[in-house]
Amino acid sequence: MANIEDYLLWRGDLTLSQSPFNNVDNLILSNLIYLIFKDIVPELKTEKTSVFNKITNLFKQDNNSLNAVSIHDAIADMNILEEGKHRIRVSKDIEMAVKLAKTKRFGSMKLMYYVDKYDEDIETQFAAITILMEDNTAYIAFRGTDTSLVGWKEDFNMSFMDKVPAQEEALKYLQAVSSLINVPLRIGGHSKGGNLAVYSALHINKNVQDRIIRIYNNDGPGFKSSILETNEYKYIKDRIDTIVPQTSIIGMLLEHEEEYIVIKSNETLIMQHDPYSWEVLGADFVKMEGTTSSSHFIDSTLREWINNMTIEQREQFVDVLWEVMGATKAKSFPEMAESLFSNAFKIGKKINQLDDKSKDVLSTALSMLINSAKNALVAGFK
């Protein structure tokens, strides 16, 4: 079945004036930030601006004069023979970008304000880019979780922290970019990037919120229920498009108040998180009536498991889990998989060396997970 690569063949020769921006365009642009644009796309400068420059920026209406580079030129500047240098995920991202750059629809879009941060000390992984389009609107793309253990640790931290560093970075990024370009905005991301898109739009000042056309959460986790009850969230809720595959797992984590757009994937279970598996027909995704029973089971299990744990228990479990994985000295999951048996032995040895309290944290969490799965299974038969 057709996917976003086929979409480029169908719509790549049509400009936005000929075929308006749609949900598939959103996924393609949110996927672009999985590439590394260091020394290719102008970076966002965060130093304080002088009063003179602030006044000057007020009169800067010609967005074509901004320091930017087209998608076509940015991809051309990459040495794709060393494609591992320019991506943080799969090789298909580079292949897709090369095709994207050659299209009339995307090739002339301007890339600007690139940011890429990674900090083990504060446990954060964050990247963003702004894409200026021919219709004089901008799409701000936030990167999802990469393969680093730090990136995944930050995701787990969302279960007990009111805000994680990447969310704060996303808000700062939106504040900075919205002050530099005075155009209507679309904001989106895949996986954690979708969560960052919603978070930044939720907490930005109302003047900027009113410039936001749509917010796209492409199979990204939600939020703690307390956030969904705020007036700020209710103000933007109707502009959030949460797009999930029929057996979504990542997108079902934490809470969502907005309606889902459920689409068809040609993969199974966790592999449906892969945006290349999402099926496309014409200018839209292939829609489904709802998520599958497998997705409901996983969602119910994880939701009950998390809700039954106190904030302290969640934090302790995540810290002990990462302490155990840290015994491998690996920085990423691919690195851990390179010596799978050796690392499994190290993890087992580390578990045996844990003190009684840490062992109890792990066993209690595992027991609660099993009980939640049993409850979800029983509920499914009723």
Side-chain angles (χ1 to χ4, degrees):
M1 190 65 182
N3 63 6
I4 54 177
E5 293 177 282
D6 300 292
Y7 174 85
L8 292 183
L9 297 175
W10 296 336
R11 284 291 189 275
D13 62 337
L14 300 178
T15 64
L16 291 180
S17 59
Q18 295 171 310
S19 179
F21 190 91
N22 59 57
N23 284 346
V24 184
D25 294 323
N26 139 67
L27 181 64
I28 288 172
L29 294 184
S30 71
N31 205 49
L32 196 62
I33 188 56
Y34 281 117
L35 299 183
I36 298 172
F37 289 104
K38 185 173 176 58
D39 300 325
I40 294 176
V41 172
E43 297 186 13
L44 177 66
K45 304 301 181 183
T46 56
E47 62 264 19
K48 292 183 178 180
T49 306
S50 68
V51 174
F52 174 77
N53 285 334
K54 284 182 179 179
I55 295 173
T56 303
N57 284 337
L58 293 175
F59 298 96
K60 194 181 289 183
Q61 298 296 324
D62 182 10
N63 290 311
N64 292 320
S65 66
L66 293 171
N67 191 16
V69 59
S70 70
I71 290 179
H72 176 275
D73 291 347
I75 303 304
D77 283 347
M78 289 183 176
N79 184 349
I80 60 174
L81 296 178
E82 298 181 61
E83 54 89 13
K85 175 184 176 183
H86 293 292
R87 65 174 173 84
I88 60 101
R89 206 175 50 158
V90 296
S91 59
K92 192 176 286 188
D93 289 340
I94 288 286
E95 298 168 15
M96 180 72 176
V98 171
K99 295 175 183 177
L100 190 75
K102 295 176 181 177
T103 65
K104 183 185 296 184
R105 188 173 185 81
F106 296 99
S108 61
M109 291 181 181
K110 304 291 186 182
L111 301 177
M112 62 185 76
Y113 304 139
Y114 176 62
V115 170
D116 196 342
K117 295 183 177 182
Y118 177 88
D119 193 320
E120 291 187 20
D121 292 335
I122 61 172
E123 297 177 344
T124 189
Q125 162 259 319
F126 172 79
I129 201 165
T130 298
I131 305 156
L132 191 63
M133 297 182 278
E134 67 174 64
D135 61 355
N136 204 36
T137 65
Y139 184 99
I140 294 176
F142 293 113
R143 181 181 292 169
T145 308
D146 59 17
T147 59
S148 70
L149 295 184
V150 165
W152 279 93
K153 174 73 170 0
E154 188 172 39
D155 286 359
F156 275 73
N157 289 346
M158 287 182 182
S159 68
F160 59 85
M161 295 178 67
D162 290 331
K163 56 186 176 183
V164 297
Q167 291 172 328
E168 295 181 280
E169 291 290 344
L171 177 57
K172 287 193 291 186
Y173 183 88
L174 179 56
Q175 288 170 332
V177 171
S178 62
S179 70
L180 293 169
I181 53 172
N182 187 24
V183 299
L185 303 169
R186 296 180 177 90
I187 310 172
H190 171 256
S191 193
K192 181 180 75 174
N195 175 280
L196 301 184
V198 177
Y199 182 91
S200 62
L202 168 66
H203 290 90
I204 198 70
N205 66 69
K206 190 174 181 297
N207 289 337
V208 177
Q209 283 182 334
D210 291 340
R211 288 165 50 192
I212 297 174
I213 304 170
R214 301 301 296 173
I215 306 150
Y216 301 93
N217 185 352
N218 299 294
D219 204 30
F223 298 87
K224 293 166 63 176
S225 57
S226 58
I227 291 179
L228 306 185
E229 296 166 0
T230 63
N231 290 330
E232 290 80 5
Y233 178 82
K234 292 174 182 177
Y235 186 71
I236 65 166
K237 184 179 75 170
D238 292 340
R239 280 175 281 170
I240 301 173
D241 284 340
T242 296
I243 305 170
V244 299
Q246 74 266 29
T247 311
S248 174
I249 297 176
I250 305 298
M252 292 295 167
L253 297 175
L254 300 179
E255 303 286 341
H256 290 272
E257 181 70 21
E258 72 280 4
E259 294 291 329
Y260 295 109
I261 299 173
V262 182
I263 54 94
K264 188 175 182 181
S265 166
N266 57 29
E267 283 287 359
T268 58
L269 295 175
I270 191 65
M271 293 306 296
Q272 291 193 5
H273 192 55
D274 177 8
Y276 294 104
S277 75
W278 296 8
E279 296 188 4
V280 174
L281 182 62
D284 204 351
F285 295 111
V286 177
K287 303 284 182 60
M288 303 288 287
E289 291 186 3
T291 53
T292 63
S293 57
S294 297
S295 182
H296 287 304
F297 169 73
I298 295 168
D299 178 35
S300 298
T301 298
L302 294 178
R303 194 181 298 268
E304 180 181 317
W305 181 48
I306 292 173
N307 289 341
N308 285 344
M309 297 173 75
T310 66
I311 296 297
E312 184 181 14
Q313 283 177 314
R314 297 176 201 176
E315 183 174 4
Q316 289 174 343
F317 168 69
V318 172
D319 286 343
V320 173
L321 180 62
W322 253 258
E323 179 186 347
V324 167
M325 290 195 294
T328 66
K329 305 299 182 184
K331 299 294 184 182
S332 66
F333 285 105
E335 190 178 329
M336 187 178 291
E338 287 176 4
S339 304
L340 189 59
F341 292 109
S342 173
N343 285 328
F345 175 78
K346 292 176 183 177
I347 287 174
K349 183 178 179 181
K350 180 64 178 178
I351 291 175
N352 287 330
Q353 293 173 345
L354 291 173
D355 58 46
D356 290 341
K357 181 179 178 181
S358 296
K359 287 180 180 178
D360 185 59
V361 167
L362 286 182
S363 63
T364 299
L366 181 59
S367 176
M368 293 175 72
L369 177 60
I370 292 172
N371 287 334
S372 296
K374 288 179 180 177
N375 292 338
L377 195 60
V378 170
F381 283 111
K382 289 183 178 179

